[in-house]
Amino acid sequence: MTWSSWVLLPHSSATSCRYYSRDKMSTYALSGLAHIFGLLAIILLLVWLLHFREGIEYDSEDGLRVFNVHPLMMFLGFIFLAGEAMMAFQTIPTERKIRKFFHMAFHFIAIILGIVGLCAVFKFHDMKNIPDVYSLHSWIGIATFCLFGLQWFFGFITFMLPGAPDVTRARVRPWHIAAGRLLLFMAVCAAETGLMEKFKILELKPHEKESHLINFTGLAILLFGVFVDLTVGRRHIV
C-alpha cells in the first residue's frame, strides 16, 4: 500500500490497519521467542540425556536408558508440539481450515509421543521394582495426559467433524482455548516437578555442571510455555 493510498483512507480505517499490522508483528515476535526457547530446551534436554546421563533407548536392558525416553517424549509431545499446535492458529499464514488441520494433527502426534513416554517410565518401574504413580510429578502428569486426551477428543468432535452447529462451536471455543492454555501449563508444571524429582534422586551437588544444566533446561521449558501463552493470548492483552 502506497503513502497516497494511506492518505485517501479514512482516519479510523488507516489507524485500524496500522494497529492490525503492529499486532501481527507482535504475535510473530512472541512466537519467535517461543520457538527459540523451545529449541533451546530440546538441545539442553538432549545434552543432558546423551552426555551426562546414560543415553536414550526404549528396548535397552539398561533401565536408565529406557527411563530417559520418558522426559524426551513427554517434552516433545505435551509441551513442544502442543505449544506448536496452539501457535499454529496465530502464525501460519493460510486459511483457517488448514490451520485447524495442523492444530489437530500436532496434538494427535503429541498424544502418540506421550503414550510412548508413559510406557517407557512404567517399563522402567517394572525393571527396577519401583511403585507407579507415587509422586506429585506423576499425579500431575497422569492428570495432564488424561485431560489432554479428552480435550483432543471433544475438540475433534466439535470443530473437525461436520454437523456441530455454529452456535455450539462459538460457545465451546472460549472454553476450548482456556483449557488448552491450562493444559500447557499443567504439562510445564509436570516437567518442572519431574526435573526437580530427578535432581533429588541423583543427589547432585548445587554447583555441578549437570545441576546448572537441569536448571537452565527447566527455565527454557518455562519460558517456552510463557511465550506460547502470550502468543495465543495476544488478542486479550492488547
Side-chain angles (χ1 to χ4, degrees):
M1 183 176 289
T2 63
W3 171 253
S4 59
S5 60
W6 275 107
V7 174
L8 294 174
L9 283 172
H11 176 71
S12 59
S13 299
T15 302
S16 298
C17 289
R18 288 195 295 269
Y19 176 83
Y20 177 78
S21 178
R22 288 197 301 268
D23 184 52
K24 292 295 289 184
M25 291 301 295
S26 297
T27 300
Y28 286 131
L30 290 170
S31 67
L33 288 171
H35 285 100
I36 289 172
F37 285 113
L39 292 174
L40 178 61
I42 292 174
I43 293 171
L44 293 176
L45 195 57
L46 287 173
V47 170
W48 178 44
L49 297 176
L50 296 176
H51 179 68
F52 287 91
R53 294 290 99 208
E54 300 76 14
I56 306 168
E57 185 182 356
Y58 186 87
D59 293 323
S60 175
E61 294 183 0
D62 183 349
L64 295 175
R65 291 173 65 87
V66 175
F67 172 82
N68 290 342
V69 175
H70 172 71
L72 181 62
M73 292 295 103
M74 302 312 282
F75 171 75
L76 289 177
F78 288 121
I79 298 178
F80 185 75
L81 274 181
E84 291 294 330
M86 293 169 66
M87 292 189 293
F89 260 99
Q90 300 289 336
T91 58
I92 296 180
T94 186
E95 59 182 290
R96 183 179 180 84
K97 184 183 298 185
I98 296 177
R99 286 184 283 133
K100 187 188 297 184
F101 171 79
F102 278 108
H103 180 76
M104 298 298 292
F106 283 164
H107 274 129
F108 181 74
I109 297 172
I111 292 174
I112 300 301
L113 295 179
I115 292 173
V116 175
L118 285 178
C119 289
V121 74
F122 285 133
K123 180 179 179 180
F124 167 72
H125 285 180
D126 289 341
M127 295 172 72
K128 299 293 184 179
N129 294 317
I130 299 174
D132 294 323
V133 196
Y134 65 91
S135 65
L136 177 62
H137 161 69
S138 60
W139 289 8
I140 296 173
I142 290 295
T144 303
F145 178 82
C146 295
L147 292 173
F148 195 100
L150 289 174
Q151 166 87 341
W152 187 90
F153 177 74
F154 286 113
F156 181 80
I157 292 176
T158 305
F159 299 108
M160 293 297 290
L161 295 181
D166 290 339
V167 64
T168 300
R169 292 180 176 179
R171 289 175 178 173
V172 171
R173 188 173 294 113
W175 293 100
H176 180 76
I177 295 171
R181 295 168 72 177
L182 173 63
L183 285 170
L184 177 65
F185 275 104
M186 286 182 65
V188 170
C189 185
E192 304 292 358
T193 54
L195 289 174
M196 294 310 300
E197 184 178 311
K198 191 66 174 178
F199 191 103
K200 182 178 180 181
I201 291 173
L202 295 174
E203 298 182 346
L204 298 176
K205 302 299 181 182
H207 297 294
E208 291 182 4
K209 290 182 179 180
E210 187 174 1
S211 302
H212 291 156
L213 179 61
I214 292 175
N215 287 341
F216 280 118
T217 302
L219 285 174
I221 291 172
L222 175 62
L223 290 172
F224 174 74
V226 168
F227 282 107
V228 168
D229 189 70
L230 288 175
T231 301
V232 174
R234 174 65 183 164
R235 69 185 66 178
H236 303 296
I237 62 175
V238 294

